[in-house]
Amino acid sequence: MSIQVSDGVFRLDTAESSYWFRTTAFGHLEQLHYGTRLPAGEIESLRHKHELTHGSAVLYDEQADPSYCLEELPLEWSGVGKGDFRVTPIELKLPDGSFTCDFVYDSYRIETGAPKMHTLPQSTGEGAETLIVTLRDKAFAVYLDLLYTVYAEENVIARRAVLRNESEGTLLIKKLMSYSIDLPDRGYTVVTLSGGWIREAQVIERPLKTGAIVNESTSFSQHRNNPALALVSRGATEDTGLVYGFNLVYGGNHQTAAELSPVGLVRITGGINPYCFLWELQPGEVFETPEAVLTVSTRGKNGMSQNFHRFVQKRIVRGDWQTKERPILINNWEANFFQFRQNSLLRLAKRGKRLGCELFVLDDGWFGARNTDSAGLGDYTVNRKKLPEGLEGLGKKVNALGMQFGLWFEPENVNDDSDLYRAHPDWAIVRPNRKPSLGRHQKMLNLTLPAVRDYIVENMTHILDTCPIAYVKWDMNRKVSDFEDGAFLHRYMIGYYEVLTRIFGPRPQILLEGCASGGGRFDLGHLCFAQQIWSSDDTDPIERLKIQGGLSLFYPVSTMGAHVSMAPHQQTLRNTPLFTRFAVAAFGAFGLELDPMDLKPIERKVLTALLSEYRTIRRTCQFGTFSRVETGDPHIVQWQAQTGKQTVVMRCKTLVPAAQPNDLLTVTGLDPDKTYTLRQVKSPLLVGGFGTLLKHILPVKLRAYSHLLLAADKRLKMDDYAESYRASGAQLGTGVRLHRSFIGTGYSDKMHMQGDFSAMLFVITED
Ligand code: DGJ
């Protein structure tokens, strides 16, 4: 039993955590403990003591208890106007025209599973238990159900709130968060993923001082601020210390606030962003907030991440692809943009197949007059000039190559220059009295209209059911503008989720990859439908270390689209080694985003070997227990993933110092007493990159920049030294002293030529 209730105390326990609260004498819910798992027992040591109040306190009921002040209590929910001045989870205009509200305990019940939500996606509740605590406003028949679904094995508590208007008047909801929780201050740092286009998910760390840090978005989940947030306690590291994680199963406007109050309590509230939000709730109506998910670990940031990874894999991602390795895909976007024909696509697919790709994805540009990004969006008629045999013909030919076929859509937007817009200008989101603002030359379709939803569902399902499509990329390339209010945006999200449910619910075999100008919509709401999300339009692996590394705090590797592209990279002009591009993308839903013909013949050979290697480590990289390993050097990033008897380690140097010290490679999480074989994956050294060193140091004697060198560079390679050891888990855990890297004094065939942007990949196998 993961939920126990006795004497007004609610004890929620998971394998490694406990979440306890109780009702106070006045009926408020006092938060007692959320953290490490506690044995059942008394709560006296956990109860907030309040014999005296602060001088300026507003007392809740001075006669009944002169020391009871809501501002000073750790609470599970709070209201307005009764003496709690912290960030509130609720702002309601009640039938008397006032915002003062006071929710107190009414009743509770426990249900098996997770009660079904009616408008929004949620985690799958099989095997879980849900506690529903009902609160009632003291003045009006307005009820608030606080739901707690306990995922014992995953160490996650899913929380949400449902407001029921049983009064006789209309309520105006200005703010209704999914949860609120107050924790004792432990010197927290707030960690969020913030950024922008092509630099998504940068880890931002801000110490929480008195006052609030607000992580929010005003245009869906967006590049700027991901909905996830972590609280890292003083001194916690990747592997040790208390860390809390919070996320929302919602991709609309979101807000999570962390506030440290003057009395040393930290309040976290999260849910729909109250920005421009006004929702009328008529008598008899109900409003449900998005589901929020909370986890805590005493095993540091990795512990928190691993809890979320397991939870997302098991409880959020669904359909046939929940545990299936992602196919190695080749996407034609960076190879072609809008310029292609059926034959050129088939040539690209064939080249991809030769390298070992399993899925060919046709990106933007296959429909209507879509030869630039200014036209055609909204139309679903295939462009017969480009694809004379249609999608069906192309799909069949791709299948005949022994590959699956995937297709790009951008269903939520429309170009003015499209048949759809000409026929239905009223379907776009505009304000009648204002000139509309465009994003990437397009307007958004109004998904609150049933006719728009039907149009998208009918057109997409027709294509999906008549062509051999195994994968869909669902793109969304603009932020919102010209909207009515926040309630409209929430209704848009409800419409959007309905469309996804209707299209993909009956087609679980289709692998869906979400995308929004890169990783602009990386959230758990989307992951309930899309099993993976394109992490960023930035495919430079050095940037991806930050992006994928940031995402890994809250999302599993299997959900992050990651591709090998050409260097110098289209986004940064950085020139990175092919091996590094491979090694970083290996920790993702892997693919290629290039035309293999643009690679040197030797690179094609190398990539073919690497893709074949990848098939032997893919399950570990995508579904293994993932950790970020502390290297003590900000310019060395190390990731590892472990499953069964295999561990894969990636170590990347972003900037090397002169006279590099020998690397110390630690592999964490192994059984100290078992014996393992460590093998480094061979990484190629292309001779062209060494300039005049060829003359002085390397064994290959070729004149720099000569014709001979250029010819050799295309076809010949050396291999960097590859290490191998047999050692105990204890030895690997304490650190393998690797061979020296190049320091300018000579060459040995037992050293590494590890410059800036170089990566190493190790496969460790238990005996
Ligand atoms: C933005 C995406 O992030 C790209 O991968 C590509 O699909 C383009 N849109 C196509 O327009």
Side-chain angles (χ1 to χ4, degrees), residues 333 363-364 370 408 440 473 475 477 515 517-518 534 537:
W333 178 243
D363 211 280
D364 197 352
R370 188 77 172 163
W408 178 97
R440 206 194 186 196
K473 179 172 171 186
D475 206 346
N477 284 299
C515 175
S517 296
W534 182 225
D537 275 346

Side-chain angles (χ1 to χ4, degrees), residues 555-627:
Y555 304 96
V557 166
S558 58
T559 63
M560 300 175 203
H563 296 175
V564 172
S565 65
M566 292 303 295
H569 294 282
Q570 292 193 4
Q571 304 79 17
T572 56
L573 281 182
R574 188 179 279 137
N575 205 351
T576 61
L578 183 63
F579 188 80
T580 302
R581 288 175 256 158
F582 164 76
V584 175
F587 283 80
F590 180 90
L592 304 185
E593 184 97 14
L594 47 75
D595 184 343
M597 271 316 273
D598 294 331
L599 294 169
K600 298 170 189 159
I602 188 65
E603 288 181 316
R604 287 200 285 274
K605 211 167 151 194
V606 165
L607 203 48
T608 310
L610 290 177
L611 295 202
S612 143
E613 173 86 45
Y614 189 55
R615 270 186 280 277
T616 70
I617 56 172
R618 166 166 52 181
R619 173 151 293 282
T620 304
C621 289
Q622 293 180 349
F623 293 97
T625 304
F626 175 89
S627 323

